[in-house]
Amino acid sequence: MYKYRYEKGQSTDSTFILLHGTGGNEEDLLPVAAALDAKANVLSIRGNVLEDGKARYFKRLRKGQYDVSDLMTRGQELYAFIEEKAEEYQFSLEEAIYLGFSNGANIAMNMMLLEDSRINKGMLYAPMYPLDVEEVVDLPNVKVFLSMGENDPIVPRRESERVIAIFKDLGAEVTEFWVDGHELNGDNLLAGKEWLAKIQ
């Protein structure tokens, strides 16, 4: 169902679930995980939806407009796949860190909002979630690092603030960091590393 790469690290307590941006693959975020914690286990997954030949995790009708039904279905499918791999490779879902960029951040957020989700830690770079969220889940145990762009050409600031509000309204512990555009760079990588050090 999914192409993926698993690398066993030296730590049994830390596992990154890596979710790339549109057009990426399972290799893209490996250097990011290594920079954050070189000893961690890594499960990096390639999206199985193609848009103009570019890999994504779910369909969209146009930029900024999601195919909601497809998002919900594929979010559940991806979560089930990760559950299977957690059992196969013997890592904790509750302790895993879901690191997503752009489209990967969006599907990670969808999985975090599933009613039976066991995701407690998220690092979301340039996320957007322009959907109504029913408050059927509480996230008091969830810690999330959100990196957003002041002048992001893809995600308007109001959408970034909306993501912040969704998590806060559901009781998550939110750390926000602002960069200029739609990017994963040295600044927000370092900020993410500092955040990880505090929560682990």
Side-chain angles (χ1 to χ4, degrees), residues 145-152 155-162 164 175-181 183 185 187-188 191:
F145 173 84
L146 303 175
S147 174
M148 298 149 297
E150 297 272 8
N151 301 296
D152 190 325
V155 183
R157 186 181 174 100
R158 67 178 181 277
E159 292 295 342
S160 295
E161 291 173 345
R162 190 170 186 281
I164 295 169
T175 298
E176 58 185 271
F177 187 82
W178 293 86
V179 291
D180 182 51
E183 57 197 298
N185 61 27
D187 290 339
N188 54 12

Side-chain angles (χ1 to χ4, degrees), residues 4-190:
Y4 72 95
R5 181 166 169 175
Y6 179 78
E7 294 184 354
K8 184 171 179 57
Q10 299 172 10
S11 170
T12 57
D13 299 325
S14 185
T15 302
F16 285 111
I17 310 297
L18 303 181
L19 303 164
H20 62 76
T22 298
N25 60 44
E26 65 276 22
E27 307 291 328
D28 283 8
L29 296 176
L30 294 177
V32 173
L36 291 170
D37 184 352
K39 295 182 178 181
N41 307 311
V42 173
L43 174 64
S44 188
I45 306 166
R46 183 190 300 190
N48 60 358
V49 172
L50 290 180
E51 179 182 276
D52 298 326
K54 297 178 180 179
R56 288 174 52 83
Y57 294 98
F58 60 91
K59 297 176 184 177
R60 57 184 175 183
L61 305 176
R62 60 185 63 86
K63 287 186 178 181
Q65 186 174 356
Y66 297 171
D67 182 328
V68 177
S69 176
D70 191 69
L71 168 63
M72 297 304 176
T73 298
R74 293 186 188 273
Q76 291 172 342
E77 287 178 351
L78 182 56
Y79 185 77
F81 176 81
I82 294 169
E83 282 186 312
E84 291 174 7
K85 295 305 165 188
E87 184 173 346
E88 179 179 348
Y89 294 116
Q90 294 296 293
F91 64 82
S92 167
L93 278 174
E94 288 83 0
E95 294 302 317
I97 302 147
Y98 288 68
L99 192 159
F101 173 67
S102 193
N103 181 243
N106 302 340
I107 194 72
M109 184 168 176
N110 177 262
M111 291 188 291
M112 294 175 84
L113 297 175
L114 291 175
E115 193 168 357
D116 59 350
S117 178
R118 292 157 61 192
I119 301 173
N120 290 328
K121 301 174 184 176
M123 300 181 73
L124 309 185
Y125 289 84
M128 184 168 75
Y129 207 75
L131 306 178
D132 292 331
V133 176
E134 296 181 14
E135 294 191 17
V136 295
V137 293
D138 292 317
L139 306 177
N141 299 317
V142 169
K143 296 177 174 64
V144 60
F145 173 84
L146 303 175
S147 174
M148 298 149 297
E150 297 272 8
N151 301 296
D152 190 325
I154 298 174
V155 183
R157 186 181 174 100
R158 67 178 181 277
E159 292 295 342
S160 295
E161 291 173 345
R162 190 170 186 281
V163 168
I164 295 169
I166 288 171
F167 279 114
K168 286 186 175 179
D169 288 348
L170 295 175
E173 180 183 307
V174 176
T175 298
E176 58 185 271
F177 187 82
W178 293 86
V179 291
D180 182 51
H182 197 81
E183 57 197 298
L184 205 171
N185 61 27
D187 290 339
N188 54 12
L189 183 60
L190 179 58

